[in-house]
Amino acid sequence: QVQLVESGGGSVQAGGSLRLSCAASAFTFNNYYMAWFRQAPGKEREGVATSYLGYDWTYFADSVKGRFTISRDNAKNTLFLQMNSLKPEDTGVYYCAAGAPPMSAIQRLSSKKYNYWGQGTQVTVSS
């Protein structure tokens, strides 16, 4: 059974940093797009960052470019999201997700293309 388990969320002040982790099991991690989504109260879930194969295949939402970094350890089936210079608008529940290729450029940050989801971890950024 596919499992994605996020950890690392918490509360920080604006300007702070957090590192999220997602441990994956029961599927061929290397072959999948692995992504982070987030959902703020009353808002739709939005794609934050996605990675495929390795560092050269990473994509970010404009709102987090230059502040967030996505990485993956394929040997350990683990996905990371390093979040720096956090802002109050980054607050939300962050989800790890896995989706099978191929994906077009638009689809890479679309929740519709991701089949497997974690339970989410809360990130709260105070001003």
Side-chain angles (χ1 to χ4, degrees):
Q1 182 177 353
V2 172
Q3 277 196 320
L4 300 172
V5 180
E6 303 96 334
S7 61
S11 298
V12 296
Q13 290 191 328
S17 298
L18 282 173
R19 189 189 195 211
L20 306 183
S21 299
C22 171
S25 60
F27 68 101
T28 309
F29 184 81
N30 300 10
N31 294 347
Y32 278 70
Y33 279 90
M34 296 298 300
W36 290 97
F37 289 79
R38 68 186 179 189
Q39 189 165 18
K43 294 188 176 182
E44 292 186 358
R45 191 171 297 187
E46 64 168 342
V48 173
T50 188
S51 168
Y52 182 56
L53 295 181
Y55 177 77
D56 290 339
W57 294 70
T58 58
Y59 308 93
F60 297 89
D62 289 343
S63 58
V64 305
K65 281 181 181 176
R67 301 188 297 122
F68 289 13
T69 302
I70 187 171
S71 61
R72 56 197 292 166
D73 185 336
N74 287 332
K76 296 183 178 180
N77 284 8
T78 304
L79 181 73
F80 303 99
L81 184 69
Q82 178 66 44
M83 305 185 293
N84 299 327
S85 302
L86 282 162
K87 304 175 181 180
E89 51 264 43
D90 294 318
T91 294
V93 178
Y94 282 69
Y95 298 91
C96 172
M103 291 191 191
S104 67
I106 294 177
Q107 292 172 332
R108 288 165 193 150
L109 290 177
S110 170
S111 60
K112 296 178 181 178
K113 288 295 292 183
Y114 290 82
N115 307 102
Y116 305 116
W117 294 84
Q119 82 289 350
T121 185
Q122 177 70 43
V123 171
T124 303
V125 184
S126 58
S127 58

